[in-house]
Amino acid sequence: TAQSLRLNTTASNIANAETASSSTDQTYRARKPVFAAIQQSMLNPSQQSMAFGSDNGPGAGVRVEGIVESDAELQMRYEPDHPAANEDGYVFYPNVNVVEEMADMMSSS
């Protein structure tokens, strides 16, 4: 279901929130599912006339359009002693906001 997918992507984001990398290309990026509404007439064509007398009845659910990576800026921290530090001493961390992820988790459960 849609809520299960939201929970799974949120869990993945939280699990990777502190994953360090030495380059922006290898750094985990927060993922978000994208949903689209399914109209009642598409879900069950035989009951199309029951949708408030028109083809534009209420939404009947959602379908997954895809999962997108966030384009928010990655966190760059100066940690020269970190094993994943680049030659300038910087480590890159994901663009995951754990507080937002927890709110998403609560609203999807």
Side-chain angles (χ1 to χ4, degrees):
T1 66
Q3 300 305 349
S4 294
L5 181 64
R6 283 183 64 201
L7 281 171
N8 286 339
T9 55
T10 298
S12 178
N13 289 340
I14 291 172
N16 287 290
E18 291 297 318
T19 305
S21 178
S22 60
S23 74
T24 58
D25 295 335
Q26 297 174 346
T27 305
Y28 180 88
R29 294 175 188 275
R31 291 165 170 79
K32 298 287 181 188
V34 177
F35 301 105
I38 299 174
Q39 295 300 318
Q40 181 68 33
S41 60
M42 292 178 68
L43 188 66
N44 192 351
S46 65
Q47 295 182 358
Q48 183 171 333
S49 62
M50 297 175 66
F52 297 107
S54 75
D55 293 345
N56 297 325
V62 296
R63 71 173 176 269
V64 178
E65 289 289 312
I67 296 177
V68 297
E69 288 186 346
S70 172
D71 59 355
E73 189 173 338
L74 298 173
Q75 300 175 37
M76 187 171 76
R77 301 178 194 163
Y78 183 69
E79 299 177 359
D81 295 330
H82 194 287
N86 64 12
E87 58 275 353
D88 297 324
Y90 287 97
V91 180
F92 296 92
Y93 288 91
N95 53 4
V96 175
N97 182 327
V98 177
V99 174
E100 286 180 14
E101 297 299 329
M102 293 300 289
D104 282 349
M105 185 185 308
M106 290 189 307
S107 70
S108 64
S109 59

